[in-house]
Amino acid sequence: MVGKYDIEVYNNKAHYFLTVKRNITILQGDSASGKTELIRLIGEYEANGNSSGITIKCEKKCTVLTNVDWELRLASLNQSIVFIDETASFLKGKKFAEMVRGSDNYFVIVSRDDLVLLPYSVEEIYGLKNVSDSSKYKSYKKVYNEMYKLYNLADVAGKVEPEVVITEDSNSGYECYKHIYGDKCETAGGKSKVYECIRQSDKDSILSIVDGAAFGADVGKVMRYLTMTGKKCVLYAPESFEYLLLKAGIIEVPKAVLEETYNYADSSKYLSWEEYYTDYIVQNTQKTVFRYGKTKLNENYTAPKIIDKIKDVMPEQIL
């Protein structure tokens, strides 16, 4: 499934707006904020249609997946937007994660917990807000900041001068960042280890670079820790290292591939946009001097002119 879809759900008491464009979207919020009511409305409409007094406007079928025969139901669904409440017991299970991979559905999941088995984007975590003086009209806004921006910079004035740069990547990305930041660059060895590396670091100023397209389950823990401790750490979360290479113009890339990725990254083939960008650069550099491999960086990417191109698409505050 590909594409970007607006969803409008309403009855005479509540009105919801939401846009989805990736295979996994997370809805967060405190109790009684309206998340469960949204799921209930969709489920009731599915059961009773127009007689329910509920209206759903969307190009794709919206459906609710519950604990009842969830595996059979999910296996039978295609080209649908599947809503799941946090009360579903299968949400954190390995089987559900396995069935999400390769599914040609989009999933909208209500969860205040971090779903560590699912690689969802930091850009697709939303919180509910009212959009009028009346609480009747509700929409979802991003919990974190704008796409490709630096996070938690509100208290940082001017240039970031980190004593250590912690990268999620331990392969090609790490090699490239090491050319940019030198000996102060070190690898966490994976996204699940970034939090511990930040927590254990004794440096006064930290920059951490992660692949935003799949860091959604980890970003909350990191941000909560930084808020609680006041530790000086800036989190930079581009879509992925491969995205930076494509955006840098090292090879020719159609503008739409980067700006409208939702029209290209088929959920039945790619579990995250990170996988799509990696596949794209691998396929389109095979017969060039910039042949890309994820495990070891082609030395042509470390040429001074190429490093400068990469730095040009990174925020100037961290360079």
Side-chain angles (χ1 to χ4, degrees), residues 22-85:
R22 305 197 198 205
N23 63 332
I24 301 173
T25 301
I26 303 295
L27 305 184
Q28 295 183 342
D30 298 329
S31 298
S33 62
K35 306 183 307 300
T36 298
E37 176 65 6
L38 170 62
I39 300 288
R40 188 193 70 78
L41 291 177
I42 296 171
E44 187 171 334
Y45 177 84
E46 192 172 15
N48 300 307
N50 292 332
S51 64
S52 65
I54 299 163
T55 300
I56 296 181
K57 295 181 179 180
C58 184
E59 292 179 42
K60 295 292 184 179
K61 176 184 177 181
C62 294
T63 186
V64 175
L65 191 66
T66 65
N67 286 321
V68 180
D69 295 328
W70 73 268
E71 289 185 49
L72 290 174
R73 282 212 62 226
L74 181 52
S76 68
L77 291 171
N78 61 84
Q79 292 290 306
S80 300
I81 300 175
V82 183
F83 286 75
I84 307 173
D85 190 52

Side-chain angles (χ1 to χ4, degrees), residues 85-125:
D85 190 52
E86 58 192 342
T87 56
S89 59
F90 56 81
L91 260 185
K92 297 181 181 180
K94 184 178 179 181
K95 182 62 177 179
F96 175 66
E98 291 173 346
M99 293 189 72
V100 169
R101 176 176 287 279
S103 173
D104 67 347
N105 301 293
Y106 280 3
F107 295 86
V108 179
I109 302 172
V110 169
S111 179
R112 285 169 288 183
D113 296 328
D114 302 324
L115 303 176
V116 297
L117 296 181
L118 298 176
Y120 52 93
S121 170
V122 298
E123 300 298 332
E124 304 308 323
I125 304 173

Side-chain angles (χ1 to χ4, degrees), residues 7 10 17 21 27 29 62 81 83 102 104-105 128 144 152 186 198-199 209 212 228 243 256 266 274 280 313 315:
I7 305 168
Y10 62 91
F17 302 90
K21 60 180 182 290
L27 305 184
C62 294
I81 300 175
F83 286 75
D104 67 347
N105 301 293
L128 193 64
Y144 301 103
N152 64 304
E186 61 184 51
I198 292 173
R199 191 178 67 83
I209 305 176
M228 180 180 67
Y243 167 83
D266 192 332
E274 177 188 5
Y280 187 94
V313 297

